[in-house]
Amino acid sequence: MSFTVIRRFGTDVEANLALGLLRTNGIEAHLNDEHLVSDAPGFAGMLGGIKLVVPADREIEARALLDEYVAIDEDTLAAADDSQVEIMLREAGALLTGHFKLTSGRHSDAYVEKIRLINQPQMVVKLCAMLAARMRHIESDVVVGPAMGGIVLAYEVAKALGRRFVFSQRFDGRMGVRSGFPLKQGNRAIIIEDITTTGGSIVEVIDCLRERGVEVAGVGLIVDRSGGAIDFDVPTFALLSLDIQSWEPSDCPLCASKQPITKPGSSDK
Ligand SMILES: [Zn+2]
């Protein structure tokens, strides 16, 4: 009997999930290099990952099962609600509760640490899969992310949606896109950003795309700190919508109750 490799995985968890799915459906699948990869995850790439192997005559059926599984999984991700996202972000240290002095000088009882939204690749993949699942119905050619935080996220959403990826950046303070990116008049773009409060930088990206004749088809955010108050005039999706309270120091109830204050990591703009 001949066998064929139908998928490669970076972790044994994913590999075993897929293996279990095929075996449950009566396909005699097995894994190659599982122990080599799980003992030395750093070498997973060099070894070509953990290989899922099936009898050649069951290949089409096995591939269909895996594709269906991914589709179901994406529906589950799309259905994840704010509370699940909130738990993930709290565990990652991206969403903090306490008594904070903001850059504006105002005080607040909650703080979003932007860096923590993107410093754990596994979580980035999951968050972006959720966002991609919610935005899959939007017809688009390209996913655009403003530097810096938006780059990683837009790339990952583009990968999940099978679209092209572009990032925007400031040139002498003005938002733009490098000329090397193939953006054509009539392209439809989705914009992805980590977090927005006033929506200012997203509006700049929308304007710079429209100037190039690119139609903005949607905006996706990990955290909307305006509590849904921002209207970009295009369909907008936020994984977590927060209405964070802030006060002038003289009106701060946390100061009144003498809670120690912290100045969280500055947002190096
Ligand atoms: Zn205070």
Side-chain angles (χ1 to χ4, degrees):
M1 197 190 314
S2 73
F3 290 87
T4 182
V5 174
I6 61 163
R7 203 150 298 185
R8 293 162 192 270
F9 299 93
T11 69
D12 52 351
V13 176
E14 294 168 286
N16 278 291
L17 277 173
L19 178 71
L21 176 79
L22 297 186
R23 288 196 172 158
T24 309
N25 285 280
I27 296 178
E28 278 308 309
H30 63 270
L31 300 175
N32 278 353
D33 294 333
E34 181 187 6
H35 300 294
L36 278 174
V37 172
S38 49
D39 290 347
F43 293 102
M46 205 167 83
L47 294 166
I50 300 171
K51 295 151 200 87
L52 178 62
V53 182
V54 298
D57 60 351
R58 308 288 300 273
E59 180 182 349
I60 293 170
E61 196 186 340
R63 283 187 190 277
L65 277 167
L66 290 180
D67 288 347
E68 195 184 336
Y69 169 73
V70 170
I72 291 166
D73 194 37
E74 197 172 73
D75 287 344
T76 315
L77 288 172
D81 61 12
D82 273 31
S83 65
Q84 284 166 273
V85 175
E86 189 173 337
I87 290 167
M88 277 171 70
L89 298 188
R90 281 196 191 284
E91 282 176 356
L95 185 55
L96 307 171
T97 308
H99 183 193
F100 302 104
K101 185 176 181 183
L102 307 176
T103 3
S104 63
R106 290 172 71 88
H107 292 190
S108 173
D109 60 356
Y111 185 78
V112 180
E113 184 54 86
K114 283 170 70 143
I115 293 301
R116 296 289 183 93
L117 291 174
I118 56 170
N119 80 329
Q120 296 177 51
Q122 288 77 6
M123 188 178 78
V124 170
V125 169
K126 207 164 168 184
L127 291 172
C128 292
M130 290 178 180
L131 210 42
R134 293 187 194 188
M135 301 183 78
R136 187 170 291 282
H137 64 283
I138 298 177
E139 202 186 309
S140 65
D141 309 289
V142 60
V143 181
V144 184
M148 301 288 291
I151 294 183
V152 180
L153 299 166
Y155 176 88
E156 207 51 50
V157 171
K159 196 165 82 177
L161 292 177
R163 308 285 196 267
R164 281 186 285 119
F165 158 72
V166 165
F167 69 82
S168 66
Q169 65 190 110
R170 288 183 198 282
F171 298 89
D172 297 325
R174 195 174 146 76
M175 192 67 81
V177 172
R178 279 169 186 269
S179 57
F181 279 121
L183 270 182
K184 283 190 228 105
Q185 195 157 5
N187 276 167
R188 287 172 60 89
I190 284 175
I191 299 169
I192 301 291
E193 176 64 302
D194 48 9
I195 173 162
T196 184
T197 308
T198 60
S201 60
I202 300 263
V203 170
E204 288 178 67
V205 181
I206 293 176
D207 289 346
C208 97
L209 290 173
R210 285 182 178 160
E211 275 170 28
R212 295 179 64 150
V214 174
E215 190 182 335
V216 177
V219 172
L221 307 163
I222 303 297
V223 180
D224 174 5
R225 214 159 45 174
S226 80
I230 305 172
D231 184 5
F232 296 113
D233 213 16
V234 296
T236 302
F237 303 82
L239 289 184
L240 181 61
S241 181
L242 295 173
D243 190 3
I244 295 180
Q245 299 272 323
S246 72
W247 309 273
E248 285 303 321
S250 53
D251 300 329
C252 175
L254 300 167
C255 282
S257 65
K258 301 206 167 7
Q259 281 200 37
I261 192 162
T262 47
K263 193 172 189 311
S266 52
S267 64
D268 316 292
K269 282 221 159 165

